[in-house]
C-alpha cells in the first residue's frame, strides 16, 4: 500500500464534508435540548475514529474483508436479532444498542456495507462460473440473493426501520443491474413490489382496524407519515421548509425556528437556513463531485468485484443524498434517512468511513495498475 497513490480529490472532498458537518451540527445545537449541546464535539470524535478505521482497512486490504465477509454477515444478522431483544427503545424503535459513556450504536448501518460486499462477492463468483448464464441459472442465483437480503431486511423492518430496508433493496437492485442480469427480472421484481404496496394501501383505506391487526401500530404510523408527506403537512416538514425559505441568498447564520431531528434527519434544513442559497449550491456541488470521483474510480477499475462494490456504494450514497435533501423540501417522504458524512451519528459515519477505506484501496490499485 502506498498512501501517496490515493486520489487526492477524495481526501480533500472528505475533509471539506467533515468541516461542513461539524459546523452545521454546531449551529443545530441552538435549537436542541441542553443535553445535546456537545454534538459537534462528539462528531469530531466520530470522524477521528472513522479515520482510524480507514487506515485499518487500508492496512488489512480488501481481500481480507472479502474472504471473511460471510462470517461478518452471520455476525451482523446475529447482532440485528439480539437488538430486537436487548435494544433500548428510542422513539418506539429498537434500532440502537446503548453503550454507557459512548452513546448508541445502530447495527443496521453496518449491515448496508456488509450487504454491498456480500452481493458483490456473489455476483463476481456467479459471473466467473457462468459467463453466459441461462435464464434458469440466473433465476436460481437471484433466489439466493433475495434470501440473503431477506434475512437482515426482516430483522431491520421489525425494529422498525423502513428507511434502511429500502436502502438494502435499492443496493441489491443496482448491483444486480450492474451485474448484467436480464431486464425481465427487474420488470418482474418491480411488478411484485407494486402489487404488494398496492395491496397494503388498499387494506389501509378499506379497513383501518384490519390494517392495524395485520401490520401493527408501528407500520400504521409509518403509512400515516407518508400520507402527511403527500398532503405537505406535518410540524417537522413545515418548520423545516420555513427555516430554508427564510435563509435568502447568504443565509441567517442561525436556525430561526425549531424542528425535531435538526442534527440528523433534517441537517440540510439547518445548513440551508444557516448558509443560504449560495452555501447550499456549494454543498450540492461538493456532494456531486464526490459521487463523480467514485464513478471515475469504478470505471477505471480492472477488477470486476471492485466495480460491483463501488456501484453499490454510489447507489447507497446518491439515494440517501436525494432522499435526505428531498424530504426537507417536501419532495420526498420523511423516512429517517441521514445525509452521508454530514448528519450527526457515530454508526452511520463510521460505516461510511469503512467503505471509504475500501474505496481508497480500490483507487490505490487503479493507480498502481496505471503505472
Amino acid at each position: 500500500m502506498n498512501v501517496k497513490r490515493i486520489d487526492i480529490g477524495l481526501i480533500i472532498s472528505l475533509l471539506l464534508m467533515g468541516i461542513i458537518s461539524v459546523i452545521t451540527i454546531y449551529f443545530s445545537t441552538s435549537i436542541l435540548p441542553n443535553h445535546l449541546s456537545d454534538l459537534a464535539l462528539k462528531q469530531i470524535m466520530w470522524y477521528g475514529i472513522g479515520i482510524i478505521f480507514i487506515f485499518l482497512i487500508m492496512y488489512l486490504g480488501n481481500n481480507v474483508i472479502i474472504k471473511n465477509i460471510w462470517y461478518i454477515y452471520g455476525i451482523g444478522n446475529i447482532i440485528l436479532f439480539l437488538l430486537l431483544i436487548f435494544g433500548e427503545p428510542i422513539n418506539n424503535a429498537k434500532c440502537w444498542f446503548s453503550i454507557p459513556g459512548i452513546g448508541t450504536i445502530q447495527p443496521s448501518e453496518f449491515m448496508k456495507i456488509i450487504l454491498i460486499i456480500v452481493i458483490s462477492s456473489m455476483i463476481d463468483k456467479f459471473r466467473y462460473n457462468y459467463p453466459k448464464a441461462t435464464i434458469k441459472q440466473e433465476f436460481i442465483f437471484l433466489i439466493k440473493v433475495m434470501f440473503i437480503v431477506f434475512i437482515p431486511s426482516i430483522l431491520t423492518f421489525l425494529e422498525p426501520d423502513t428507511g434502511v430496508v429500502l436502502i438494502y433493496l435499492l443496493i441489491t437492485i443496482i448491483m444486480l443491474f450492474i451485474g448484467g442480469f436480464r431486464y425481465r427480472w427487474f420488470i418482474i421484481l418491480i411488478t411484485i413490489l407494486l402489487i404488494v404496496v398496492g395491496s397494503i394501501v388498499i387494506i389501509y383505506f378499506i379497513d383501518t382496524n384490519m390494517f392495524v391487526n395485520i401490520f401493527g401500530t408501528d407500520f400504521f404510523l409509518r403509512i400515516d407519515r407518508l400520507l402527511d408527506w403527500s398532503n405537505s403537512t406535518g410540524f417537522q416538514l413545515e418548520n423545516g421548509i420555513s427555516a430554508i425559505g427564510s435563509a435568502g441568498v447568504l443565509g441567517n447564520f442561525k436556525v430561526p425556528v425549531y424542528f425535531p431531528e435538526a442534527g440528523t434527519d433534517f441537517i440540510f434544513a439547518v445548513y440551508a437556513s444557516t448558509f443560504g442559497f449560495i452555501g447550499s449550491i456549494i454543498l450540492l456541488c461538493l456532494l456531486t463531485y464526490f459521487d463523480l470521483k467514485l464513478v471515475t474510480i469504478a470505471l477505471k477499475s480492472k477488477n470486476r468485484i471492485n466495480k460491483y462494490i463501488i456501484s453499490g456504494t454510489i447507489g447507497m450514497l446518491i439515494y440517501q443524498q436525494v432522499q435526505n435533501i428531498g424530504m426537507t423540501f417536501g419532495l420526498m417522504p420523511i423516512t429517517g434517512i441521514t445525509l452521508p458524512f454530514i448528519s450527526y451519528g457515530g454508526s452511520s459515519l463510521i460505516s461510511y468511513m469503512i467503505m471509504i477505506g475500501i474505496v481508497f484501496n480500490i483507487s490505490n490499485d487503479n493507480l498502481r495498475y496505471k503505472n
Side-chain angles (χ1 to χ4, degrees), residues 14 19 38 66 75 92 98 129 131 144 151 155 171 173-174 181 196 210 238 259 265 273 279 301-302 317 331 334 368:
L14 188 62
I19 293 172
D38 61 345
I66 293 172
I75 293 171
N92 296 320
S98 181
N129 293 329
K144 293 178 181 178
I151 297 173
L155 293 173
I171 288 170
I173 292 172
I174 289 174
F181 289 86
V196 171
M210 182 173 67
E238 292 172 356
F259 46 86
D265 301 352
S273 66
S301 178
K302 305 297 182 181
L317 292 178
L331 301 176
I334 300 175
R368 187 169 63 247

Side-chain angles (χ1 to χ4, degrees), residues 92-241:
N92 296 320
K94 286 188 174 183
C95 299
W96 305 269
F97 284 116
S98 181
I99 302 177
I102 296 178
T104 56
I105 300 295
Q106 187 174 358
S108 60
E109 291 290 342
F110 298 97
M111 182 54 72
K112 293 186 296 187
I113 310 303
I114 294 171
L115 280 179
I116 287 175
I117 301 174
V118 165
I119 297 172
S120 296
S121 178
M122 292 179 69
I123 297 175
D124 182 63
K125 184 177 180 180
F126 178 77
R127 284 305 178 200
Y128 178 81
N129 293 329
Y130 307 102
K132 295 182 179 180
T134 63
I135 294 177
K136 180 180 180 181
Q137 289 168 335
E138 284 193 355
F139 177 74
I140 295 173
F141 174 77
L142 293 175
I143 293 297
K144 293 178 181 178
V145 171
M146 291 299 107
F147 178 76
I148 293 301
V149 177
F150 177 79
I151 297 173
S153 295
I154 289 297
L155 293 173
T156 304
F157 183 82
L158 293 174
E159 293 177 3
D161 193 342
T162 310
V164 174
V165 174
L166 291 175
I167 295 176
Y168 292 164
L169 297 177
L170 182 71
I171 288 170
T172 304
I173 292 172
I174 289 174
M175 296 178 70
L176 291 174
F177 183 82
I178 298 298
F181 289 86
R182 291 174 171 85
Y183 294 152
R184 69 185 67 184
W185 303 122
F186 301 98
I187 296 173
I188 293 172
L189 178 60
I190 292 173
T191 302
I192 293 174
L193 290 175
L194 289 175
I195 292 174
V196 171
V197 172
S199 301
I200 292 174
V201 172
I202 290 173
I203 295 174
Y204 177 89
F205 283 107
I206 290 180
D207 191 334
T208 302
N209 291 329
M210 182 173 67
F211 182 93
V212 173
N213 290 334
I214 295 174
F215 299 104
T217 305
D218 289 330
F219 194 62
F220 171 78
L221 294 175
R222 280 179 269 179
I223 296 295
D224 210 38
R225 179 188 286 184
L226 290 177
L227 293 179
D228 283 344
W229 162 71
S230 66
N231 297 323
S232 297
T233 60
F235 172 77
Q236 188 172 14
L237 175 60
E238 292 172 356
N239 281 21
I241 293 176

Side-chain angles (χ1 to χ4, degrees), residues 240-296:
I241 293 176
S242 297
I244 295 172
S246 68
V249 176
L250 299 177
N252 299 308
F253 290 96
K254 64 178 181 179
V255 186
V257 295
Y258 169 77
F259 46 86
E261 309 300 336
T264 52
D265 301 352
F266 268 63
I267 192 70
F268 186 80
V270 175
Y271 179 85
S273 66
T274 303
F275 298 104
F277 177 77
I278 293 178
S280 298
I281 293 298
I282 292 174
L283 177 58
L284 292 176
C285 289
L286 177 60
L287 295 176
T288 302
Y289 173 79
F290 185 79
D291 295 340
L292 290 176
K293 292 299 294 184
L294 295 181
V295 172
T296 302

